[in-house]
């Protein structure tokens, strides 16, 4: 007999995830998408959360915004794999509207909501495109804190920020390899990270390969990149920590 077909990922997500649209005090964005691992949500014992930030610039065309359903699917995959709660604010309008201060206000409001509404005590940040650059700079300044930072296809992160980061960092890059080597060199000069960083360059993939793969090769690379992010979050965002969500 032929082996049974693999389970439908969408069906698995439908069974194990609880999805909703939420609003919370202090948020500058529109209503946010919240997806969570249902068994922990029902029991009220989520201890870790992930904040997913995505602004348009830096992904595909300069004014392009990531597809909402694609972002929600990514949030679902994180919640299902890491058995956590994931919040996806709607950062419409690109980073022309989401400069450092405004993005920081959004992240702070989101972290407070995740702690108050879901009891989350550990926070991971996943930031796409230009939002990854801003999130890294905010971490370096000590304004934004998390247990792990994942930047997916950021256009360029200033070396000064890389040398000042104190949160474990995973950076996924497409296009030119030069940026990857430069980033790795800057991170190697950061004693705070103690080697807790990884820069992964997907050679031959366009900058927007992660959310809009243009070939089978890019689709495979995108899947590998997300798998890396999941493993990184699972390793560095602890469960059951005593401290509150970093702010």
């Amino acid at each position: 007999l032929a082996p049974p077909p693999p389970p439908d990922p969408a069906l698995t997500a439908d069974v194990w995830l609880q999805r909703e649209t939420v609003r919370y005090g202090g948020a500058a964005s529109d209503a946010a998408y919240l997806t969570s691992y249902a068994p922990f949500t029902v029991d009220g014992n989520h201890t870790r959360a992930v904040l997913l930030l995505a602004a348009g610039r830096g992904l595909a065309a300069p004014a392009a915004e990531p597809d909402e359903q694609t972002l929600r699917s990514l949030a679902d995959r994180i919640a299902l794999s890491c058995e956590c709660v994931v919040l996806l604010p709607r950062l419409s309008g690109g980073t022309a509207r989401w400069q450092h201060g405004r993005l920081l206000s959004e992240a702070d409001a989101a972290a407070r909501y995740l702690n108050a509404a879901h009891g989350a005590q550990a926070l991971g940040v996943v930031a796409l495109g230009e939002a990854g650059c801003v999130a890294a700079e905010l971490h370096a300044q000590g304004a934004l804190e998390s247990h792990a930072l994942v930047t997916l296809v950021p256009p360029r992160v200033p070396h000064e920020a890389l040398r000042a980061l104190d949160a474990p960092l995973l950076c996924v890059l497409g296009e030119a390899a030069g940026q990857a080597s430069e980033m790795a060199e800057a991170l190697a000069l950061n004693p705070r990270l103690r080697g807790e960083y990884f820069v992964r360059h997907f050679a031959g993939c366009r900058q927007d390969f992660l959310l809009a793969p243009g070939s089978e090769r890019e689709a495979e690379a995108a899947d590998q990149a997300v798998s890396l992010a999941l493993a990184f979050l699972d390793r560095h965002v602890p469960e059951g920590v005593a401290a509150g969500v970093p702010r």
Side-chain angles (χ1 to χ4, degrees):
L1 294 177
D8 182 348
L11 178 61
T12 303
D14 288 340
V15 169
W16 292 106
L17 295 181
Q18 180 172 307
R19 305 177 176 105
E20 56 188 309
T21 301
V22 298
R23 294 181 182 275
Y24 42 92
S29 69
D30 301 327
Y33 176 69
L34 184 82
T35 178
S36 60
Y37 184 64
F40 290 171
T41 305
V42 171
D43 292 341
N45 63 353
H46 275 294
T47 58
R48 59 180 179 174
V50 172
L51 178 60
L52 178 57
L53 303 171
R57 211 173 73 207
L59 292 164
E65 292 190 18
D67 175 70
E68 179 72 13
Q69 188 53 52
T70 301
L71 290 173
R72 290 189 175 198
S73 295
L74 176 58
D76 285 349
R77 186 170 172 184
I78 296 171
L80 186 61
S81 178
C82 297
E83 298 183 355
C84 66
V85 55
V86 181
L87 184 64
L88 170 64
R90 184 62 175 142
L91 308 184
S92 58
T95 50
R97 290 184 55 202
W98 293 94
Q99 299 300 327
H100 292 61
R102 195 173 184 198
L103 191 67
L104 178 60
S105 296
E106 178 65 44
D108 186 66
R112 292 176 184 275
Y113 166 78
L114 290 166
N115 180 252
H118 293 274
Q121 299 171 338
L123 179 68
V125 173
V126 178
L128 291 97
E130 190 76 20
C133 302
V134 178
E137 291 183 81
L138 290 172
H139 274 78
Q141 296 165 8
L144 177 60
E145 297 181 7
S146 70
H147 291 86
L149 172 62
V150 176
T151 59
L152 301 175
V153 293
R156 181 168 293 276
V157 180
H159 290 183
E160 295 78 9
L162 296 174
R163 290 193 289 267
L165 281 173
D166 60 1
L169 172 71
L170 169 66
C171 182
V172 171
L173 300 170
E175 294 187 337
Q179 183 183 355
S181 59
E182 291 173 5
M183 288 188 67
E185 290 173 3
L187 288 165
L189 298 175
N190 184 337
R192 299 177 184 85
L193 292 180
R194 290 177 286 188
E196 294 291 347
Y197 63 86
F198 184 53
V199 179
R200 178 66 165 92
H201 170 236
F202 287 90
C205 292
R206 297 166 303 125
Q207 181 70 4
D208 60 347
F209 80 96
L210 191 73
L211 297 181
S215 65
E216 183 176 343
R217 178 186 178 186
E218 287 194 340
E220 292 175 355
D223 185 69
Q224 292 176 25
V226 174
S227 295
L228 274 174
L230 297 175
F232 195 83
L233 291 168
D234 207 35
R235 174 180 177 182
H236 291 286
V237 183
E239 294 184 274
V241 297
V245 173
R247 293 194 298 272

